[in-house]
Amino acid sequence: QVQLVESGGGLVQAGGSLRLSCAASGTIFRITVMGWYRQAPGKQRELVAAIRSGSSTDYADSVKGRFTISRDNANNTLFLQMNSLKPEDTGVYYCQLRTVARIYWGQGTQVTVSS
């Protein structure tokens, strides 16, 4: 069974930074993509950033230039460095791991950016 555990969320003022981590454990075969999603109150969950097995990355337009996704392959850990945070970045951030067979989600970590 694969488990994803996020950490690093919290309350920060606008302009500040946070670094999220997602530790994956269990028997994991053939990861294709790992990513971060977020869900703001009353809104649908949206992709924030993703990194593929070949290390190519994708970012939502709203976070380009401010957020950086990275991955420690040896430890199956995913990171999201978030700089210049804005109040609209507030939400629950979820880690997602995709293999060729399944999609796994973490439990989420709250990020709150005050103005």
Side-chain angles (χ1 to χ4, degrees):
Q1 185 71 9
V2 174
Q3 287 190 323
L4 303 177
V5 179
E6 299 103 333
S7 60
L11 173 64
V12 65
Q13 288 188 333
S17 298
L18 285 173
R19 187 182 193 226
L20 305 184
S21 299
C22 171
S25 61
T27 303
I28 306 171
F29 294 106
R30 298 183 65 184
I31 296 174
T32 57
V33 181
M34 293 189 75
W36 290 97
Y37 287 72
R38 69 185 177 194
Q39 188 165 19
K43 295 188 177 181
Q44 290 188 331
R45 193 174 297 188
E46 62 175 356
L47 174 67
V48 175
I51 184 166
R52 298 183 183 84
S53 57
S55 297
S56 63
T57 56
D58 287 319
Y59 293 93
D61 288 342
S62 60
V63 307
K64 284 180 181 177
R66 301 188 297 121
F67 291 10
T68 303
I69 190 171
S70 60
R71 179 177 160 186
D72 179 349
N73 290 326
N75 296 298
N76 281 333
T77 303
L78 184 70
F79 302 99
L80 184 69
Q81 178 65 42
M82 304 187 295
N83 298 328
S84 302
L85 283 160
K86 303 176 181 180
E88 51 263 43
D89 294 318
T90 294
V92 179
Y93 283 68
Y94 297 91
C95 174
Q96 185 200 72
L97 184 156
R98 293 180 181 238
T99 70
V100 293
R102 290 191 62 177
I103 298 173
Y104 301 91
W105 291 93
Q107 83 288 351
T109 185
Q110 177 71 43
V111 171
T112 303
V113 185
S114 63
S115 57

